[in-house]
């Protein structure tokens, strides 16, 4: 069973035992092996007239993903519920994460009414059209 859970053997040897090294190694392994629980990876592309978000959301159903716009903030959230079974499983280690995943994006320069989203094969694609550039109105003032 212990072969399934990786652990550096050189850390356990008495000759090179350093408690700070053990803690640093544990911290490094924890931060690199466990994905972020509250966020998901997103690429942002500028196509000139719009921004495109490509969000990785593998394993989600389209119904579990929500997009909300409020106060110039686009919030993308997804929830994965843990599967409950009647039979008791004897897991050695569980790495699949269940819970809420959320990201917020500033949409202050975006035409909010034109936002479109699609979800295919674990990728959420959101198109955010930019607002048309406003040319400041000019006028000639009369001298009195």
């Amino acid at each position: 069973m212990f072969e399934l859970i990786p652990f550096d053997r050189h850390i356990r040897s008495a000759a090179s035992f350093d408690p700070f090294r053990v803690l640093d190694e544990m911290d490094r392994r924890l931060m690199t092996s466990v994905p972020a629980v509250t966020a998901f990876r997103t690429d942002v592309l500028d196509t000139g007239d719009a921004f495109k978000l490509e969000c990785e959301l593998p394993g989600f159903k389209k119904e579990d993903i929500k997009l909300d716009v409020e106060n110039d903030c686009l919030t993308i959230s997804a929830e994965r519920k843990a599967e409950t079974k009647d039979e008791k499983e004897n897991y050695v280690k569980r790495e699949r994460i269940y819970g809420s995943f959320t990201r917020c994006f500033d949409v202050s320069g975006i035409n909010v009414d034109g936002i479109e989203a699609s979800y295919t094969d674990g990728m959420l694609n959101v198109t955010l059209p930019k607002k048309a550039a406003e040319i400041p109105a000019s006028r000639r003032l009369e001298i009195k």
Side-chain angles (χ1 to χ4, degrees):
M1 175 172 114
F2 291 109
E3 302 85 43
L4 297 175
I5 303 170
F7 189 77
D8 266 342
R9 293 185 192 278
H10 70 274
I11 290 177
R12 291 188 281 167
S13 67
S16 66
F17 182 75
D18 179 9
F20 296 109
R21 182 175 173 203
V22 172
L23 291 173
D24 286 342
E25 183 69 18
M26 286 173 49
D27 186 48
R28 183 188 63 79
R29 286 178 184 266
L30 179 66
M31 292 304 161
T32 58
S33 65
V34 178
V37 176
T38 59
F40 44 86
R41 293 184 175 120
T42 303
D43 292 337
V44 181
L45 292 89
D46 187 351
T47 62
D49 59 342
F51 291 104
K52 291 194 177 207
L53 302 179
E54 295 176 348
C55 309
E56 283 184 350
L57 292 167
F60 285 95
K61 296 177 186 162
K62 188 167 83 170
E63 300 81 36
D64 296 336
I65 303 170
K66 296 178 186 158
L67 283 82
D68 298 305
V69 177
E70 184 178 351
N71 298 330
D72 288 337
C73 181
L74 169 67
T75 303
I76 301 173
S77 58
E79 185 174 1
R80 182 178 293 147
K81 295 184 171 91
E83 298 174 9
T84 55
K85 295 181 180 178
D86 293 337
E87 58 198 56
K88 196 169 191 173
E89 301 286 338
N90 291 325
Y91 288 103
V92 174
K93 185 176 183 181
R94 289 192 79 168
E95 292 184 342
R96 292 184 294 161
I97 297 175
Y98 299 97
S100 294
F101 302 83
T102 304
R103 291 284 302 265
C104 295
F105 299 92
D106 179 22
V107 291
S108 55
I110 301 299
N111 176 7
V112 178
D113 295 329
I115 295 175
E116 294 179 355
S118 63
Y119 182 70
T120 308
D121 296 332
M123 291 296 292
L124 175 68
N125 295 300
V126 183
T127 303
L128 307 166
K130 296 178 182 177
K131 286 183 181 176
E134 294 181 19
I135 301 172
S138 65
R139 62 183 188 149
R140 182 164 290 183
L141 298 175
E142 190 177 313
I143 301 174
K144 294 184 183 181

